[in-house]
Amino acid sequence: DGGITQSPKYLFRKEGQNVTLSCEQNLNHDAMYWYRQDPGQGLRLIYYSQIVNDFQKGDIAEGYSVSREKKESFPLTVTSAQKNPTAFYLCASSITATGNTEAFFGQGTRLTVV
Amino acid sequence: GQQVMQIPQYQHVQEGEDFTTYCNSSTTLSNIQWYKQRPGGHPVFLIQLVKSGEVKKQKRLTFQFGEAKKNSSLHITATQTTDVGTYFCRYNQGGKLIFGQGTELSVKP
């Protein structure tokens, strides 16, 4: 089945620890995105990648890092510098980054920092 | 810079009533997309509007793009409990694909 997979679905971490969220797609899409969603809030763009080996900061990149070494993978690291990391994280991909192609989303990872 | 406001933030309706959410931009949009997110789920693409004045329909859902391409709306006729969720518009802001704040729809049976 083609699609976009995020893992794990739920993640618990202690304060001060870095944590990496996985996002894999087998849709052969060039563009990939990470969004953060807080309860009752919209989706805020953390990082995006238009093509492999390239990525740009979104609106709330502070405290996060990404890599795009392979076309199908776009992992997100939540570092200890992120002041309030508890949130629902959504990864998405689209054929191109032009904004006129549909975005497909993973099931999301719910991160809780205690 | 470009400002896009999505209103209202919440809408509570009785089943059978109509519902409308709006995205209003301060500048012209190249295109706009609409997504639906069910409670506990992830956003799912509904439709894309590209042309000035475009109107598209999907069963009880009607999507419009304003003549000036600065405004868009999603209208649901005769809501059902299956329409519950949050509806988002999505647009291109200088290469970044940004979502509106969303409108959360609740439907009372």
Side-chain angles (χ1 to χ4, degrees):
Chain A
D1 284 339
I4 181 164
T5 303
Q6 289 186 244
S7 60
K9 190 172 182 179
Y10 299 96
L11 191 54
F12 295 87
R13 277 296 180 268
K14 291 184 178 179
E15 196 171 341
Q17 288 183 333
N18 290 358
V19 61
T20 297
L21 282 57
S22 169
C23 179
E24 303 278 331
Q25 54 99 359
N26 60 6
L27 300 167
N28 200 33
H29 285 174
D30 279 330
M32 297 187 74
Y33 314 85
W34 275 105
Y35 293 91
R36 168 181 172 143
Q37 188 172 36
D38 293 284
Q41 301 294 313
L43 293 89
R44 292 184 289 169
L45 182 63
I46 305 173
Y47 268 98
Y48 64 104
S49 169
Q50 297 176 318
I51 200 165
V52 66
N53 291 321
D54 185 53
F55 51 83
Q56 287 81 37
K57 293 182 179 180
D59 293 329
I60 57 165
E62 185 175 351
Y64 299 97
S65 66
V66 293
S67 62
R68 185 85 189 277
E69 297 176 0
K70 297 187 293 183
K71 187 175 186 177
E72 60 270 23
S73 179
F74 191 41
L76 174 74
T77 297
V78 185
T79 74
S80 56
Q82 168 50 233
K83 294 178 183 177
N84 186 17
T86 294
F88 186 46
Y89 291 88
L90 285 157
C91 179
S93 71
S94 58
I95 296 173
T96 68
T98 56
N100 60 2
T101 57
E102 175 183 351
F104 293 82
F105 282 80
Q107 299 293 319
T109 293
R110 199 167 294 278
L111 173 65
T112 302
V113 175
V114 296
Chain B
Q2 183 179 60
Q3 297 272 347
V4 174
M5 293 296 296
Q6 187 172 357
I7 55 171
Q9 188 175 1
Y10 302 98
Q11 187 81 58
H12 308 286
V13 301
Q14 193 78 33
E15 190 172 19
E17 291 182 339
D18 291 356
F19 159 79
T20 306
T21 176
Y22 302 88
C23 273
N24 301 317
S25 173
S26 58
T27 59
T28 300
L29 301 169
S30 56
N31 63 289
I32 195 162
Q33 298 177 340
W34 286 94
Y35 290 77
K36 176 184 178 181
Q37 183 178 23
R38 293 180 186 276
H42 60 278
V44 174
F45 175 81
L46 294 175
I47 209 154
Q48 175 170 272
L49 304 171
V50 179
K51 299 177 183 176
S52 168
E54 190 169 16
V55 178
K56 289 188 177 181
K57 293 190 176 184
Q58 291 178 350
K59 297 184 180 177
R60 293 177 296 105
L61 277 62
T62 302
F63 304 84
Q64 295 191 46
F65 204 10
E67 292 291 339
K69 298 181 71 173
K70 288 185 177 181
N71 311 97
S72 183
S73 65
L74 183 171
H75 179 82
I76 302 178
T77 303
T79 55
Q80 300 175 358
T81 55
T82 53
D83 295 325
V84 164
T86 302
Y87 293 84
F88 294 96
C89 60
R90 183 175 182 243
Y91 57 95
N92 190 326
Q93 184 186 63
K96 295 188 290 185
L97 295 169
I98 306 296
F99 280 85
Q101 298 88 345
T103 297
E104 184 177 340
L105 172 65
S106 63
V107 180
K108 187 175 182 181

